[in-house]
């Protein structure tokens, strides 16, 4: 008995064309993967490990980032520069809003931006490794956040704010800023419970600071003006 079924010839298969990412899309992918890598293992990780995670060759990676320093600079821009909001400075300078209210609004928005695993872990890893990210960011914070805050407190006290900000004032405001920052470190880096929510923590810290800071600042400024 014969099988009279006929087999249709198989249609030729079309070759799948590999869709290539646009250079800007690939660049973004590389930077985001570098952010994840550095946040996970720190800056001892190299371009070889990044290439492996991306499943690309190192020569291809070098076309976008000729050196590791170039890659770190791209990560710095992604995490710190691109997430910096110009409206923060306007928020701090708006004296139509009471000082406690505008500081509260600023720090709530600021912490919602930086209180992420990748932001905080990269910041700490950079400090341990001696990468220049921290120095650049600290200068930015001092000039664009702490100095304007110090001047607004002076104006609230009725003190001439044209006198240069002195180092003791800067350190006092770093105490406030650093305390708020460390709440995020405890929560996102050490994975410790923070029984007081971020908004309430900020409110408590600001109230204590604004009520106590004038008594500390006034003697410095009066002496400076003599």
């Amino acid at each position: 008995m014969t099988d009279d079924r006929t087999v249709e010839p198989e249609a030729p298969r079309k070759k799948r064309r590999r869709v290539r990412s646009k250079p800007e899309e690939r660049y973004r992918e590389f930077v985001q993967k570098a952010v994840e890598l550095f946040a996970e293992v720190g800056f001892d990780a190299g371009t070889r490990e990044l290439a492996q995670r991306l499943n690309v060759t190192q020569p291809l990676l070098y076309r976008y980032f000729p050196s590791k320093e170039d890659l770190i600079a791209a990560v710095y821009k992604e995490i710190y520069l691109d997430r910096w909001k110009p409206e923060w400075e306007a928020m701090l300078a708006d004296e139509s809003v009471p000082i406690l209210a505008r500081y509260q609004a600023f720090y709530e928005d600021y912490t919602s931006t930086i209180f992420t695993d990748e932001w905080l872990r990269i910041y700490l890893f950079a400090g341990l490794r001696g990468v220049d990210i921290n120095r650049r960011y600290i200068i930015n914070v001092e000039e664009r956040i702490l100095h304007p805050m110090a001047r607004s407190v002076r104006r609230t006290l009725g003190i001439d704010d044209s006198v240069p900000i002195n180092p003791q004032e800067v350190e006092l405001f770093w105490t406030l800023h650093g305390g708020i920052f460390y709440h995020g470190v405890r929560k996102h880096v050490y994975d410790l419970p923070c029984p007081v929510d971020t908004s309430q923590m900020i409110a408590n810290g600001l109230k204590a600071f604004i009520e106590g800071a004038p008594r500390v600042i006034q003697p410095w400024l009066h002496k400076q003006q003599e």
Side-chain angles (χ1 to χ4, degrees), residues 50-140:
L50 178 58
Q52 289 173 345
R53 290 195 176 204
L54 288 162
N55 197 28
V56 299
T57 63
Q58 273 188 290
L60 176 60
L61 196 58
Y62 286 138
R63 285 172 53 188
Y64 290 85
F65 310 101
S67 69
K68 185 174 177 179
E69 287 68 31
D70 293 314
L71 182 61
I72 289 172
V75 168
Y76 173 75
K77 181 178 183 299
E78 168 72 19
I79 293 293
Y80 300 103
L81 296 185
D82 290 353
R83 299 187 189 185
W84 186 278
K85 299 180 182 180
E87 55 265 35
W88 288 338
E89 294 160 78
M91 197 180 295
L92 290 172
D94 184 5
E95 296 191 2
S96 67
V97 179
I99 193 167
L100 266 177
R102 68 177 184 267
Y103 282 13
Q104 181 77 27
F106 160 70
Y107 271 116
E108 288 199 16
D109 198 20
Y110 181 75
T111 55
S112 72
T113 299
I114 74 165
F115 281 8
T116 67
D117 292 355
E118 61 185 24
W119 198 106
L120 292 165
R121 288 178 63 85
I122 285 178
Y123 188 87
L124 295 178
F125 274 130
L128 292 171
R129 188 69 174 77
V131 177
D132 198 38
I133 284 175
N134 302 62
R135 296 184 190 93
R136 285 181 281 171
Y137 189 75
I138 284 170
I139 291 170
N140 211 30

Side-chain angles (χ1 to χ4, degrees), residues 34 37-38 40-50 53 68 71-72 129:
L37 176 63
F38 291 148
E40 181 183 335
V41 302
F43 288 90
D44 285 333
T47 53
R48 176 176 296 179
E49 186 172 354
L50 178 58
R53 290 195 176 204
K68 185 174 177 179
L71 182 61
I72 289 172
R129 188 69 174 77

Side-chain angles (χ1 to χ4, degrees), residues 146-165:
L146 303 189
H147 282 209
M149 288 175 72
R151 294 193 185 284
S152 67
V153 167
R154 285 181 176 193
R155 288 191 289 273
T156 300
L157 297 175
I159 297 172
D160 183 7
D161 70 345
S162 65
V163 178
I165 303 295

